[in-house]
Amino acid sequence: MRLLSGISCGILFFIMASTVSATPLPVPKTVRIESAERRKAVWDMLKPDQKRLAYHLIEAGRLGKELLFHQNHRHARDIKRLIEQSLSSEQIKGTQKLLGKEAFQEYLVFSAKFLDQSGPYASSNRKYLLKKVSEKHLKTLIGQHLNSTPVDTQKEIVKLLLDPAFEVERQPEDPTGKGLETTGGNLYEKGISGEAVQAALKTGLESNLNCRIVKKPAGGLQCEQQTVALLGFVGETLKQIVAHLKEAQGHALTRNQKNQIAATIEYFEKGNVQKFREANIAWVKDRADSAVDFMMGWVEVYEDFLAKIGSWETYVQVIDPEVSKTAQNLARHAQDFENQMPYGKFKKTFPKDYSPPAIMVYYFQEISSYRTGGYNLPNFDDIRRDVGAKNVIRLPLPGESESQDIKSLWGEVLDAFGPPEKKELLLKHREKAWRVLVLLHEIIGHGSGTYDESKFKKNEDPISALGSLASALEEQRADLTALVFGGDPILVKVGIYENENEAQEIQKAQYDLYLVDFMRRTSGQRTFTEAHQRGHWLFVHKLLERGAVTWSAKNPKQKLNVNNQILRVTDYKKFHQVAVDVLSELQSIKANREEKKLQELFEKHAPLDEIKKPWAQAIIERGKDLKINAGYIEQPWRINEKLEFEAFGELKLESVAPHFRAMNAQASHVVSN
């Protein structure tokens, strides 16, 4: 369970049927390059034995990124090869000459986004589309760099990149899987329909985290477990990952971490999900004891319309033990927050010594389809109940918070969607308001509440049981926890705020920024289908209905219209009360397994068709060129075999593009011990 990063464009997906026709996203005009120097500063914090562990985990993760490309689209690895070769130092000038200035710039940005998100799809479940690159020139590039690729594959790559109607979505947005055969995601073999999947489930098909659903030779469907035993690319890649994990095991920093690595290896070798469960248990038990922490495997299920198949992810993170003390202190007060929850009989009673691990970390390597501000795992509900969960909260890299680039990004957002009279105040409080939201969302929100176990199978995850809309429910439930308790006196007690005046001031800023960010995300995603945004839309709609917020002209002296309107808080106390009420409603639906009520709630209060309305289209138009919506990529970097940090190119896209291949290259051998 993850919280969308405040400075990126990605995370989670889908939801349900809609009459909204899916349209591709235009390629941004440019994309930011984040300096690798801040990451080098984190690397230099590590001791030699910690670096040896991190090296092997990083290389295992780098190899695993190929698995993520493979999951996101069946042709993604071929397109990745096309990009890396056509933009290599030997070929980039020829590619630029072939395409021309404008088309080359579009191709360059598209390539950066494609490699960053590990495929053609953004977090809004929409693909990026090339408009300036001609079919003739694209076919020429493919002929030059993919001439050994089957002709049918070449033709489909052209359609994927140029045809606005071809495989626009990664996965279906209908909970039954309607339209699965027209989507581009590769969790299901191409051509399988949602109807066929539903029929197979009724006759015994079992799907799991490490499955790919494929056709049986004699008819029907089956789960193809992703293990080292698979012939071809997947099996060979997992063998190389296992080799690095075995080296990493010798450098594990604690017994629990060694157990985590051992169980992960066996999971990749044998495919038994019980081993991944054991890896999660060891990871939770390791708490904050290892300076280098990691999570690896098929983890989150947001990209599967059935919420069963996991997406490949790797996080290698460096813990800040001092800053983590604040998060851990907050976690110790879980019962105090639970006592105030509007949950009725579905409140938890935590053990007296309850202290879930909460760690503040620098994300050193983050490989997933989206960037996150933090996560709370494991997703196995019985493990959460019997062993506990672990909260990982992302820290800005050294110097990031003071960066003028970041400040100017948010200044531009506030100019577009914020109340001008509060701009300086919101810029001042933005980082802290966001940090409080992440802490409460992950540590308190996701860990809160119980449910009627008689309505679920033994060890059944309520979110998977409730279907795709439950992802939006759960993420908004955690967000609402943060909005309800963002100014609570407990936060002064644990050291997050200096005093209650600061707590109240930050909470008001949090409410203002929540509205700004809703508009910003709407402008960037151009749809309400993404799970976090669907939940935000539900809450904003409720706020408008109750009169806690209103549409008003950005400049109060102007006449209100769709082109100048922003969302303003009219009553902060009422905003808080609406948050309490919606939190109660969502928890009741989850606890009582009320699927019909869940569907009705989102159909009425978070309609997807609303994106067609003039107000939403005006927001999209206003934010189409915001730099923050274009996202960013990292300056290419690697840890070499001497355990030295290396960065490539300058902070310009044309400068780093020739290093895409080096950045994504698979490790050729294992460093000597």
Side-chain angles (χ1 to χ4, degrees), residues 153-397:
T153 298
Q154 293 184 30
K155 290 179 179 178
E156 288 197 343
I157 289 173
V158 171
K159 292 178 71 176
L160 181 66
L161 272 56
L162 300 183
D163 186 342
F166 183 74
E167 296 181 351
V168 179
E169 300 164 307
R170 176 178 4 211
Q171 69 277 341
E173 293 175 351
D174 182 286
T176 67
K178 183 179 179 181
L180 175 64
E181 65 276 13
T182 67
T183 60
N186 199 29
L187 302 182
Y188 297 81
E189 185 179 344
K190 186 62 180 175
I192 293 175
S193 68
E195 185 179 15
V197 173
Q198 297 292 354
L201 289 170
K202 291 177 181 177
T203 57
L205 173 67
E206 292 187 7
S207 186
N208 218 321
L209 286 173
N210 59 345
C211 278
R212 179 171 178 260
I213 304 300
V214 299
K215 301 170 187 174
K216 290 181 181 179
L221 305 178
Q222 64 184 0
C223 163
E224 176 190 77
Q225 281 196 329
Q226 310 294 285
T227 72
V228 299
L230 274 182
L231 296 177
F233 154 72
V234 172
E236 290 304 312
T237 300
L238 284 169
K239 287 177 184 176
Q240 294 178 65
I241 291 171
V242 165
H244 271 290
L245 288 178
K246 287 180 176 177
E247 292 290 334
Q249 193 173 15
H251 302 292
L253 302 178
T254 66
R255 181 174 294 278
N256 279 318
Q257 188 172 69
K258 189 172 185 177
N259 291 340
Q260 179 192 357
I261 296 172
T264 302
I265 289 171
E266 192 166 349
Y267 179 44
F268 296 159
E269 290 179 334
K270 303 292 179 60
N272 188 343
V273 175
Q274 177 58 33
K275 289 300 172 181
F276 187 57
R277 286 168 55 87
E278 291 176 13
N280 276 256
I281 290 170
W283 177 70
V284 172
K285 287 183 175 179
D286 196 48
R287 301 180 67 82
D289 294 343
S290 302
V292 177
D293 187 269
F294 84 101
M295 174 55 63
M296 182 180 298
W298 297 277
V299 183
E300 301 281 22
V301 296
Y302 300 113
E303 293 167 21
D304 174 22
F305 78 95
L306 290 175
K308 293 182 182 295
I309 300 174
S311 178
W312 178 272
E313 296 169 16
T314 298
Y315 289 87
V316 179
Q317 48 220 7
V318 177
I319 294 175
D320 186 318
E322 291 304 313
V323 181
S324 294
K325 289 178 181 177
T326 300
Q328 290 159 9
N329 197 13
L330 175 65
R332 293 186 187 99
H333 288 271
Q335 189 66 63
D336 295 328
F337 288 106
E338 193 76 4
N339 292 341
Q340 300 180 66
M341 287 288 190
Y343 287 177
K345 66 178 182 179
F346 293 109
K347 289 182 182 179
K348 277 185 181 176
T349 300
F350 297 102
K352 289 183 179 180
D353 60 348
Y354 181 74
S355 176
I359 56 178
M360 308 287 284
V361 305
Y362 300 107
Y363 282 20
F364 196 79
Q365 181 191 55
E366 180 185 18
I367 293 174
S368 71
S369 297
Y370 45 80
R371 292 190 175 92
T372 76
Y375 59 92
N376 174 288
L377 292 173
N379 288 332
F380 303 104
D381 192 74
D382 62 313
I383 296 178
R384 296 172 66 87
R385 180 191 65 217
D386 301 334
V387 181
K390 190 165 171 177
N391 305 280
V392 177
I393 313 297
R394 182 186 201 135
L395 284 171
L397 291 170

Side-chain angles (χ1 to χ4, degrees), residues 251-546:
H251 302 292
L253 302 178
T254 66
R255 181 174 294 278
N256 279 318
Q257 188 172 69
K258 189 172 185 177
N259 291 340
Q260 179 192 357
I261 296 172
T264 302
I265 289 171
E266 192 166 349
Y267 179 44
F268 296 159
E269 290 179 334
K270 303 292 179 60
N272 188 343
V273 175
Q274 177 58 33
K275 289 300 172 181
F276 187 57
R277 286 168 55 87
E278 291 176 13
N280 276 256
I281 290 170
W283 177 70
V284 172
K285 287 183 175 179
D286 196 48
R287 301 180 67 82
D289 294 343
S290 302
V292 177
D293 187 269
F294 84 101
M295 174 55 63
M296 182 180 298
W298 297 277
V299 183
E300 301 281 22
V301 296
Y302 300 113
E303 293 167 21
D304 174 22
F305 78 95
L306 290 175
K308 293 182 182 295
I309 300 174
S311 178
W312 178 272
E313 296 169 16
T314 298
Y315 289 87
V316 179
Q317 48 220 7
V318 177
I319 294 175
D320 186 318
E322 291 304 313
V323 181
S324 294
K325 289 178 181 177
T326 300
Q328 290 159 9
N329 197 13
L330 175 65
R332 293 186 187 99
H333 288 271
Q335 189 66 63
D336 295 328
F337 288 106
E338 193 76 4
N339 292 341
Q340 300 180 66
M341 287 288 190
Y343 287 177
K345 66 178 182 179
F346 293 109
K347 289 182 182 179
K348 277 185 181 176
T349 300
F350 297 102
K352 289 183 179 180
D353 60 348
Y354 181 74
S355 176
I359 56 178
M360 308 287 284
V361 305
Y362 300 107
Y363 282 20
F364 196 79
Q365 181 191 55
E366 180 185 18
I367 293 174
S368 71
S369 297
Y370 45 80
R371 292 190 175 92
T372 76
Y375 59 92
N376 174 288
L377 292 173
N379 288 332
F380 303 104
D381 192 74
D382 62 313
I383 296 178
R384 296 172 66 87
R385 180 191 65 217
D386 301 334
V387 181
K390 190 165 171 177
N391 305 280
V392 177
I393 313 297
R394 182 186 201 135
L395 284 171
L397 291 170
E400 186 177 313
S401 296
E402 294 76 38
S403 165
Q404 272 309 124
D405 288 346
I406 300 299
K407 290 180 179 178
S408 66
L409 283 176
W410 283 103
E412 187 181 53
V413 170
L414 287 168
D415 285 339
F417 300 122
E421 70 277 10
K422 294 184 179 180
K423 179 181 177 180
E424 294 307 315
L425 182 68
L426 296 181
L427 278 175
K428 174 185 174 183
H429 291 321
R430 185 197 64 81
E431 178 63 35
K432 193 158 192 176
W434 167 250
R435 183 63 51 214
V436 171
L437 180 71
V438 175
L439 285 165
L440 289 170
H441 175 111
E442 299 294 352
I443 297 174
I444 305 303
H446 281 313
S448 67
T450 62
Y451 54 90
D452 186 346
E453 295 186 21
S454 70
K455 296 185 178 180
F456 299 88
K457 297 176 185 177
K458 184 179 180 181
N459 298 335
E460 185 176 23
D461 172 34
I463 303 307
S464 293
L466 281 165
S468 54
L469 274 173
S471 297
L473 178 153
E474 180 61 21
E475 295 304 326
Q476 190 58 28
R477 196 179 71 89
D479 255 16
L480 290 167
T481 300
L483 296 173
V484 168
F485 296 113
D488 197 279
I490 294 174
L491 302 183
V492 179
K493 186 176 180 180
V494 302
I496 291 176
Y497 296 133
E498 291 185 6
N499 52 56
E500 290 194 22
N501 286 336
E502 184 191 17
Q504 294 305 310
E505 188 172 334
I506 296 291
Q507 186 175 49
K508 288 181 179 179
Q510 189 183 60
Y511 292 177
D512 291 324
L513 288 164
Y514 203 81
L515 300 178
V516 170
D517 205 47
F518 167 74
M519 290 183 280
R520 194 272 296 180
R521 293 191 195 284
T522 300
S523 72
Q525 295 181 0
R526 302 178 180 223
T527 172
F528 293 132
T529 58
E530 181 269 311
H532 283 73
Q533 186 68 351
R534 190 75 188 277
H536 299 335
W537 173 215
L538 170 77
F539 181 52
V540 168
H541 200 185
K542 291 265 192 177
L543 289 168
L544 285 164
E545 288 175 339
R546 297 272 295 274

